[in-house]
Amino acid sequence: MEKAPFSKKVILPEISAPGPEYPNPIYQSGAQYRNPEEVAGVTRFDAQAYGCMPSRFFRDENGNPVATWHFGTDPTGAFPERGTGYSVRENGAWTPSDNRIETVRSGFPAIARLANGAQINVSHSTAFNPYRLLINRKAPGANAWTQTFLDNAPGGAGGLWPRIAVGGADGNTVHVIGITTPSAFGGPVYKGMDGHLLYWRSTDGGLTWDIKAQIIPGCDSSQYTSIEADSYTIEANGETVAIGVFSGWNNTEIYKSFDNGQNWEKIIVNDFPDALENYAGVLNDSYTFDDIGYYDPNAPDSLAVFSSDGFGALYIDAGSQVHAWFGRMYYIDNDPAAGSFYYPGMNGLVYWKESFGTDNLEIITGALDLNGDTVLNISTINEIGPYFNSLSSFPTVGADADGNIYLAYSALHELFRSNWGAPVDQFYRHIYLMKSTDNGDTWRERYDITKVPFVDEFILPYTEAVYPALPRQIGDNVELIYQQDALPGLDLWGDNHGSSENGIVYVSVPADSIPLGIRTPNRPDPSLALRLTPNPVNDLLFISAAIKTDAGARAIVFDMLGRPVSTHLFADGSGTQTLQIPVHQLLQGVYLLRVEEGNRFEVRKFVKE
């Protein structure tokens, strides 16, 4: 079961990539690293999620790591045995079950541990019509799971793609969200929405449910006509609960409750153009630049609109402030045919917290420029293994007892690709860790864990690392699981390669091994006041920019595939500076000019006649 992805339109690699990985990773003397390739389980069902990563990893009441995953072993692809894979690490070894924990075919699980030690897992089952959400609960100290079903909304609405969080004053309140069955899978339009997000709550650890299939005020047909599968997540910290909705053609929004899910308020993270909210991209539908209502100098096209890639994560700090992360994406519909499009070459992981306010977003990291040529060396769309998200995405977040925030994400690695005779030559993705010790104000350097000693050196060149899952509580070590494959992209979603076994790999990294250098994110800065004239241009392009320091700045011309054409240096000194750039040698077409100074930049497009 999968959502219909946006059609592939065009590749536009990021104009410039963040700087190289921290060159001197710190290995604490005497630190004991695990042997590489510690596999918690295996699966052939390789689509762990279609968006926001569910909670999948925690420690049980005995302190043992517990890993769960979307389980399926059928090589034919029918997956009658599909469900929740479950494995516990005891005495340094994993004990994966050979079967799902559910009694019926199910999928897309999410799991959490209650304060009383009970474990509770939610998944959805396709064995019923309409589809149903399943609860599997294991009491403290028990070995067996007790299975029940959540009540569906009335009218055959069904329930699919759930998420779970645990909170409450005593740590035993269970919060669950999911969507009604979309019409593409036989469900009805419910309360004006084709895929309506609903909320369930239990205050006694999942034994009974006092809120069932509730509509969150504002997260309804007044804002949405549909919500895509897995484009949402939920988080809780005590009585504070937050639901994040990371839609493409709509606002990026958070619904927040201070009273354990009783009442809700809406917070807009990214305000999508009102005229284009719920844009359907149907046959002969169209919009204009005026419908967008603003000029975005970083957009790949004048009709491209910035939004989330649908892969988001939330965290609630000790002060009940909500933090959010998602992949940077642009969407466009410039074709009269049905459907709209996304840009798979977009790069950048976006960070936001409540104190920023609406539309104040930071790009804190991304796929890295590892060869130092200022761009990601991607030539065609076929070189990107499709996950239908940004080149840097799959965020997952946890925090330690001191409030330090840990972020894991997966991003394209431009130095490793499947050009060894694989069916498709594509770039691999690696998983990185980042840390903030000041509640998200600054972020430490990225730390690649898809490398020795965490991956065997012989398989490192053939390792695709995606779908990381951190626990909500981080200890002395940063532990996580991720899905490892030998080929980029997925079999189940996008049909990028044939079915194969994927490992659910466990990694443990000493928290103090994450590099200590502070990384200030590169930020678009309109105060550069970049001006180009004439435009279109035939011979000489005159540019001006407001330079703040005397450390020098540079202007780089890129073609529309993101390849650098020429670089020009400003003279040392601050204030408004000008440059003359000869362009007579360029072929006719559209180019991008980027001015960089320190960690700020600004981009403008020009046309060579």
Side-chain angles (χ1 to χ4, degrees), residues 42-222:
V42 296
T43 184
R44 285 182 176 269
F45 198 101
D46 58 0
Q48 291 299 313
Y50 296 138
C52 306
M53 189 64 180
S55 52
R56 295 272 174 85
F57 182 57
F58 63 95
R59 282 183 174 263
D60 64 18
E61 65 270 29
N62 299 315
N64 297 315
V66 178
T68 63
W69 62 94
H70 200 169
F71 169 84
T73 59
D74 179 17
T76 70
F79 297 108
E81 79 298 345
R82 196 182 78 172
T84 302
Y86 183 90
S87 185
V88 181
R89 188 178 189 265
E90 296 181 284
N91 300 317
W94 290 92
T95 56
S97 170
D98 293 331
N99 301 295
R100 64 190 178 216
I101 67 174
E102 300 89 348
T103 63
V104 293
R105 186 181 189 271
S106 59
F108 296 91
I111 194 167
R113 182 174 70 87
L114 299 159
N116 64 15
Q119 299 176 27
I120 188 162
N121 184 76
V122 61
S123 58
H124 74 225
S125 176
T126 60
F128 302 91
N129 186 14
Y131 303 137
R132 302 190 69 179
L133 298 186
L134 281 67
I135 293 292
N136 277 266
R137 187 180 185 277
K138 187 162 67 170
N143 293 318
W145 295 90
T146 301
Q147 182 168 286
T148 56
F149 298 88
L150 291 180
D151 290 342
N152 281 341
L160 289 170
W161 297 294
R163 296 293 185 274
I164 195 170
V166 168
D170 61 356
N172 292 313
T173 295
V174 183
H175 307 275
V176 171
I177 57 173
I179 63 171
T180 59
T181 306
S183 59
F185 301 102
V189 172
Y190 182 72
K191 302 291 186 180
M193 287 181 60
D194 190 4
H196 201 309
L197 188 138
L198 300 173
Y199 168 69
W200 291 258
R201 185 184 73 175
S202 169
T203 58
D204 58 7
L207 297 177
T208 62
W209 298 82
D210 63 330
I211 296 178
K212 304 174 182 179
Q214 181 187 76
I215 294 175
I216 302 295
C219 190
D220 51 32
S221 60
S222 67

Side-chain angles (χ1 to χ4, degrees), residues 4-25:
F6 292 100
S7 302
K8 302 184 186 77
K9 177 62 178 177
V10 65
I11 179 169
L12 185 79
E14 181 58 280
I15 298 166
S16 180
E21 181 186 354
Y22 189 67
N24 298 302

